[in-house]
Amino acid sequence: MIKWNKQFKYPASTRTMVDGKRVYSINGEALPSVTTILQATETEEKRKILEAWKQRVGAETADRIRDQAAARGSVLHRIVENYITDTRHLDLTDLGQEAHKMADILIESAIDGRLSEVYGVEPYLAYQGLFAGQTDLIGIHDGKVTVCDHKNSNKPKKKEWLHDSYRIQLAAYALAFEDMFGEHIPRGVNFIVTKDMYYQEFSWEGEEFRQAKYDWLRRVDKYYNELGKNEAK
Protein backbone atom coordinates (compact mmCIF):
# COMPACT_ATOMS: atom_id res chain seq x y z
CA MET A 1 0.00 0.00 0.00
CA ILE A 2 1.23 3.49 -0.89
CA LYS A 3 0.36 6.32 1.49
CA TRP A 4 -0.96 9.55 -0.02
CA ASN A 5 0.13 12.83 1.56
CA LYS A 6 -2.66 15.35 0.96
CA GLN A 7 -1.00 18.41 2.51
CA PHE A 8 0.39 19.72 -0.78
CA LYS A 9 -2.16 21.61 -2.88
CA TYR A 10 -0.98 22.04 -6.44
CA PRO A 11 -2.31 24.84 -8.64
CA ALA A 12 -4.27 24.33 -11.83
CA SER A 13 -2.52 25.30 -15.01
CA THR A 14 -2.97 25.67 -18.75
CA ARG A 15 -0.16 24.94 -21.18
CA THR A 16 0.19 26.71 -24.49
CA MET A 17 2.77 27.26 -27.23
CA VAL A 18 3.88 30.87 -27.79
CA ASP A 19 6.31 31.49 -30.65
CA GLY A 20 7.22 27.82 -30.59
CA LYS A 21 7.92 27.83 -26.86
CA ARG A 22 5.94 26.02 -24.17
CA VAL A 23 4.42 28.42 -21.64
CA TYR A 24 2.47 27.63 -18.46
CA SER A 25 -0.25 29.93 -17.17
CA ILE A 26 -0.06 29.20 -13.47
CA ASN A 27 -0.81 31.21 -10.33
CA GLY A 28 -1.64 34.22 -12.51
CA GLU A 29 1.72 34.17 -14.28
CA ALA A 30 2.76 33.13 -17.78
CA LEU A 31 6.02 31.28 -17.21
CA PRO A 32 8.41 29.49 -19.57
CA SER A 33 8.57 25.75 -19.10
CA VAL A 34 11.60 23.92 -17.80
CA THR A 35 12.03 22.26 -21.20
CA THR A 36 11.82 25.63 -22.97
CA ILE A 37 14.67 26.98 -20.85
CA LEU A 38 16.71 23.81 -21.34
CA GLN A 39 16.36 23.98 -25.11
CA ALA A 40 17.04 27.71 -25.30
CA THR A 41 20.26 27.41 -23.27
CA GLU A 42 21.73 24.27 -24.84
CA THR A 43 25.45 24.35 -25.40
CA GLU A 44 26.75 24.76 -28.92
CA GLU A 45 28.44 21.38 -28.60
CA LYS A 46 25.13 19.66 -27.84
CA ARG A 47 23.43 21.41 -30.76
CA LYS A 48 26.19 20.24 -33.10
CA ILE A 49 25.88 16.64 -31.87
CA LEU A 50 22.13 16.68 -32.49
CA GLU A 51 22.53 18.24 -35.92
CA ALA A 52 25.19 15.70 -36.88
CA TRP A 53 22.85 12.86 -35.87
CA LYS A 54 20.02 14.34 -37.95
CA GLN A 55 22.28 14.59 -40.96
CA ARG A 56 23.53 11.04 -40.45
CA VAL A 57 20.08 9.38 -40.26
CA GLY A 58 18.20 11.92 -42.39
CA ALA A 59 15.64 14.53 -41.31
CA GLU A 60 12.62 12.31 -42.02
CA THR A 61 14.00 9.38 -40.03
CA ALA A 62 15.05 11.67 -37.17
CA ASP A 63 11.54 13.12 -36.96
CA ARG A 64 9.99 9.64 -37.00
CA ILE A 65 12.28 8.39 -34.22
CA ARG A 66 11.51 11.48 -32.14
CA ASP A 67 7.75 11.23 -32.66
CA GLN A 68 7.63 7.50 -31.90
CA ALA A 69 9.59 7.97 -28.69
CA ALA A 70 7.31 10.84 -27.64
CA ALA A 71 4.15 8.83 -28.34
CA ARG A 72 5.49 5.75 -26.56
CA GLY A 73 6.58 7.89 -23.62
CA SER A 74 3.13 9.46 -23.28
CA VAL A 75 1.48 6.04 -23.01
CA LEU A 76 4.13 4.77 -20.59
CA HIS A 77 3.64 7.79 -18.35
CA ARG A 78 -0.12 7.32 -18.33
CA ILE A 79 0.17 3.64 -17.40
CA VAL A 80 2.60 4.32 -14.53
CA GLU A 81 0.48 7.23 -13.30
CA ASN A 82 -2.66 5.12 -13.31
CA TYR A 83 -0.89 2.32 -11.47
CA ILE A 84 0.15 4.66 -8.68
CA THR A 85 -3.31 6.24 -8.49
CA ASP A 86 -4.92 2.75 -8.56
CA THR A 87 -6.77 3.28 -11.81
CA ARG A 88 -6.25 1.40 -15.05
CA HIS A 89 -5.28 2.29 -18.59
CA LEU A 90 -5.30 -0.21 -21.44
CA ASP A 91 -3.91 0.55 -24.88
CA LEU A 92 -4.09 -2.39 -27.32
CA THR A 93 -2.32 -0.67 -30.22
CA ASP A 94 1.13 -2.00 -31.15
CA LEU A 95 2.69 1.08 -29.58
CA GLY A 96 0.50 0.70 -26.51
CA GLN A 97 1.43 -2.93 -25.99
CA GLU A 98 5.11 -2.04 -26.21
CA ALA A 99 4.61 0.78 -23.70
CA HIS A 100 2.72 -1.59 -21.35
CA LYS A 101 5.69 -3.97 -21.28
CA MET A 102 8.06 -1.09 -20.59
CA ALA A 103 5.78 0.28 -17.87
CA ASP A 104 5.58 -3.13 -16.18
CA ILE A 105 9.38 -3.21 -15.97
CA LEU A 106 9.52 0.32 -14.56
CA ILE A 107 6.81 -0.39 -11.99
CA GLU A 108 8.43 -3.62 -10.83
CA SER A 109 11.91 -2.09 -10.69
CA ALA A 110 11.24 1.43 -9.41
CA ILE A 111 7.83 1.62 -7.73
CA ASP A 112 6.84 -1.62 -6.01
CA GLY A 113 8.37 -1.89 -2.55
CA ARG A 114 10.28 1.39 -2.97
CA LEU A 115 7.66 4.15 -3.19
CA SER A 116 6.12 4.45 0.28
CA GLU A 117 4.43 7.86 0.17
CA VAL A 118 3.13 10.06 -2.64
CA TYR A 119 3.27 13.87 -2.49
CA GLY A 120 2.01 14.32 -6.04
CA VAL A 121 1.61 12.57 -9.39
CA GLU A 122 2.04 14.74 -12.50
CA PRO A 123 1.81 17.92 -10.37
CA TYR A 124 2.17 21.40 -11.84
CA LEU A 125 5.03 23.26 -10.21
CA ALA A 126 6.13 26.87 -10.46
CA TYR A 127 9.04 28.91 -9.17
CA GLN A 128 7.49 32.33 -8.73
CA GLY A 129 8.43 34.73 -11.49
CA LEU A 130 10.90 32.40 -13.20
CA PHE A 131 9.69 29.05 -14.57
CA ALA A 132 7.12 26.28 -14.36
CA GLY A 133 6.76 22.65 -15.29
CA GLN A 134 5.19 19.31 -14.60
CA THR A 135 7.12 16.40 -13.13
CA ASP A 136 6.08 12.76 -13.00
CA LEU A 137 6.22 11.98 -9.30
CA ILE A 138 7.20 13.45 -5.93
CA GLY A 139 7.19 11.38 -2.77
CA ILE A 140 9.12 9.20 -0.37
CA HIS A 141 11.24 6.84 -2.45
CA ASP A 142 13.80 4.58 -0.79
CA GLY A 143 13.04 6.44 2.42
CA LYS A 144 13.92 9.90 1.06
CA VAL A 145 11.89 12.82 -0.29
CA THR A 146 12.53 12.47 -4.00
CA VAL A 147 11.49 14.03 -7.29
CA CYS A 148 11.18 11.32 -9.94
CA ASP A 149 11.05 11.36 -13.71
CA HIS A 150 10.15 8.41 -15.95
CA LYS A 151 11.90 8.18 -19.31
CA ASN A 152 11.77 5.87 -22.29
CA SER A 153 14.77 5.57 -24.56
CA ASN A 154 15.80 3.94 -27.81
CA LYS A 155 19.21 3.03 -26.37
CA PRO A 156 20.82 2.73 -22.92
CA LYS A 157 22.24 5.89 -21.35
CA LYS A 158 25.41 6.73 -19.46
CA LYS A 159 25.14 8.95 -16.40
CA GLU A 160 27.73 11.41 -17.67
CA TRP A 161 25.54 12.08 -20.72
CA LEU A 162 22.71 13.30 -18.48
CA HIS A 163 24.38 16.03 -16.42
CA ASP A 164 23.30 18.80 -18.77
CA SER A 165 19.74 17.55 -19.21
CA TYR A 166 18.00 15.05 -16.93
CA ARG A 167 20.02 16.05 -13.85
CA ILE A 168 19.21 19.75 -13.95
CA GLN A 169 15.64 19.08 -15.10
CA LEU A 170 15.05 17.22 -11.84
CA ALA A 171 16.78 20.02 -9.94
CA ALA A 172 14.42 22.54 -11.53
CA TYR A 173 11.35 20.63 -10.34
CA ALA A 174 12.84 20.26 -6.87
CA LEU A 175 13.51 24.00 -6.63
CA ALA A 176 9.97 24.83 -7.77
CA PHE A 177 8.50 22.50 -5.14
CA GLU A 178 10.73 24.03 -2.47
CA ASP A 179 9.67 27.55 -3.51
CA MET A 180 5.99 26.61 -3.36
CA PHE A 181 5.94 24.62 -0.12
CA GLY A 182 9.15 25.35 1.77
CA GLU A 183 10.08 21.67 2.01
CA HIS A 184 13.54 20.61 0.90
CA ILE A 185 13.97 17.90 -1.74
CA PRO A 186 17.44 16.35 -1.42
CA ARG A 187 17.23 13.75 -4.18
CA GLY A 188 16.22 13.29 -7.80
CA VAL A 189 15.93 10.00 -9.69
CA ASN A 190 15.50 9.10 -13.34
CA PHE A 191 13.86 5.78 -14.16
CA ILE A 192 14.62 4.76 -17.75
CA VAL A 193 13.37 1.82 -19.82
CA THR A 194 14.65 1.23 -23.34
CA LYS A 195 12.51 -0.10 -26.16
CA ASP A 196 14.54 -3.34 -25.79
CA MET A 197 13.19 -3.61 -22.22
CA TYR A 198 16.44 -2.70 -20.48
CA TYR A 199 15.96 -0.85 -17.17
CA GLN A 200 18.30 1.85 -15.91
CA GLU A 201 18.19 4.12 -12.89
CA PHE A 202 20.23 7.23 -12.15
CA SER A 203 19.99 9.04 -8.82
CA TRP A 204 21.31 12.46 -7.91
CA GLU A 205 21.67 13.48 -4.28
CA GLY A 206 23.93 15.11 -1.73
CA GLU A 207 26.46 17.56 -3.13
CA GLU A 208 25.75 16.32 -6.66
CA PHE A 209 22.10 17.39 -6.44
CA ARG A 210 22.91 20.66 -4.68
CA GLN A 211 25.26 21.48 -7.54
CA ALA A 212 22.54 20.57 -10.03
CA LYS A 213 20.30 23.23 -8.48
CA TYR A 214 23.02 25.87 -8.84
CA ASP A 215 23.62 24.78 -12.43
CA TRP A 216 19.92 25.05 -13.20
CA LEU A 217 19.68 28.56 -11.75
CA ARG A 218 22.60 29.59 -13.95
CA ARG A 219 20.68 28.29 -16.96
CA VAL A 220 17.64 30.31 -15.89
CA ASP A 221 19.82 33.41 -15.53
CA LYS A 222 21.28 32.80 -18.99
CA TYR A 223 17.79 32.38 -20.47
CA TYR A 224 16.50 35.68 -19.09
CA ASN A 225 19.70 37.52 -20.01
CA GLU A 226 19.38 36.34 -23.61
CA LEU A 227 15.67 37.16 -23.59
CA GLY A 228 16.44 40.68 -22.43
CA LYS A 229 19.04 41.15 -25.16
CA ASN A 230 16.61 39.99 -27.83
CA GLU A 231 13.84 42.27 -26.58
CA ALA A 232 16.24 45.22 -26.57
CA LYS A 233 17.04 44.78 -30.29
Side-chain angles (χ1 to χ4, degrees), residues 57-71:
V57 303
E60 187 175 333
T61 299
D63 288 345
R64 185 175 68 252
I65 292 171
R66 180 201 60 201
D67 293 344
Q68 286 177 344

Side-chain angles (χ1 to χ4, degrees), residues 130-159:
L130 291 180
F131 61 88
Q134 187 177 22
T135 193
D136 297 329
L137 172 67
I138 299 176
I140 306 295
H141 186 269
D142 289 344
K144 300 177 182 178
V145 180
T146 304
V147 57
C148 309
D149 209 28
H150 320 317
K151 302 287 189 183
N152 84 104
S153 177
N154 289 314
K155 295 180 180 180
K157 306 288 188 184
K158 291 185 179 180
K159 190 173 185 179

Side-chain angles (χ1 to χ4, degrees), residues 50-63:
L50 180 59
E51 187 57 37
W53 172 74
K54 287 181 179 179
Q55 291 182 2
R56 188 169 64 251
V57 303
E60 187 175 333
T61 299
D63 288 345

Side-chain angles (χ1 to χ4, degrees), residues 3-229:
K3 177 183 175 182
W4 278 79
N5 189 323
K6 302 291 187 180
Q7 75 178 86
F8 304 106
K9 305 300 181 184
Y10 300 98
S13 177
T14 58
R15 189 170 62 186
T16 57
M17 299 296 291
V18 179
D19 297 329
K21 299 176 182 179
R22 183 179 295 173
V23 174
Y24 286 88
S25 295
I26 188 167
N27 290 332
E29 294 183 293
L31 298 171
S33 71
V34 170
T35 53
T36 290
I37 294 174
L38 282 173
Q39 291 168 1
T41 58
E42 278 182 345
T43 64
E44 188 62 30
E45 179 184 11
K46 188 170 182 179
R47 290 194 179 103
K48 287 180 178 178
I49 291 172
L50 180 59
E51 187 57 37
W53 172 74
K54 287 181 179 179
Q55 291 182 2
R56 188 169 64 251
V57 303
E60 187 175 333
T61 299
D63 288 345
R64 185 175 68 252
I65 292 171
R66 180 201 60 201
D67 293 344
Q68 286 177 344
R72 186 172 60 229
S74 293
V75 179
L76 182 147
H77 277 77
R78 193 155 59 246
I79 295 166
V80 175
E81 175 187 355
N82 289 354
Y83 178 82
I84 295 171
T85 58
D86 198 26
T87 55
R88 290 292 177 264
H89 176 79
L90 186 63
D91 187 331
L92 297 178
T93 65
D94 289 344
L95 184 70
Q97 291 183 61
E98 181 182 32
H100 271 284
K101 293 176 183 177
M102 295 171 73
D104 287 344
I105 291 170
L106 191 152
I107 289 165
E108 181 180 356
S109 302
I111 305 301
D112 287 346
R114 301 181 66 190
L115 179 67
S116 57
E117 187 172 333
V118 174
Y119 287 12
V121 175
E122 300 285 340
Y124 289 109
L125 301 168
Y127 194 110
Q128 189 174 6
L130 291 180
F131 61 88
Q134 187 177 22
T135 193
D136 297 329
L137 172 67
I138 299 176
I140 306 295
H141 186 269
D142 289 344
K144 300 177 182 178
V145 180
T146 304
V147 57
C148 309
D149 209 28
H150 320 317
K151 302 287 189 183
N152 84 104
S153 177
N154 289 314
K155 295 180 180 180
K157 306 288 188 184
K158 291 185 179 180
K159 190 173 185 179
E160 57 264 30
W161 298 349
L162 311 179
H163 279 248
D164 196 47
S165 53
Y166 294 179
R167 178 185 69 106
I168 58 174
Q169 183 180 25
L170 287 168
Y173 297 137
L175 283 168
F177 182 90
E178 292 167 3
D179 186 61
M180 292 171 71
F181 301 112
E183 178 158 346
H184 178 57
I185 296 185
R187 179 176 183 252
V189 180
N190 291 117
F191 309 126
I192 304 173
V193 184
T194 72
K195 65 178 184 179
D196 294 325
M197 309 302 156
Y198 179 65
Y199 176 76
Q200 294 182 283
E201 183 174 313
F202 299 106
S203 65
W204 320 85
E205 53 190 309
E207 182 57 34
E208 190 172 40
F209 201 48
R210 282 192 292 273
Q211 185 60 51
K213 293 176 181 178
Y214 292 130
D215 291 344
W216 167 251
L217 290 174
R218 279 193 282 270
R219 293 283 284 270
V220 173
D221 188 55
K222 179 180 179 181
Y223 174 82
Y224 279 103
N225 282 337
E226 290 298 319
L227 189 65
K229 291 177 184 177

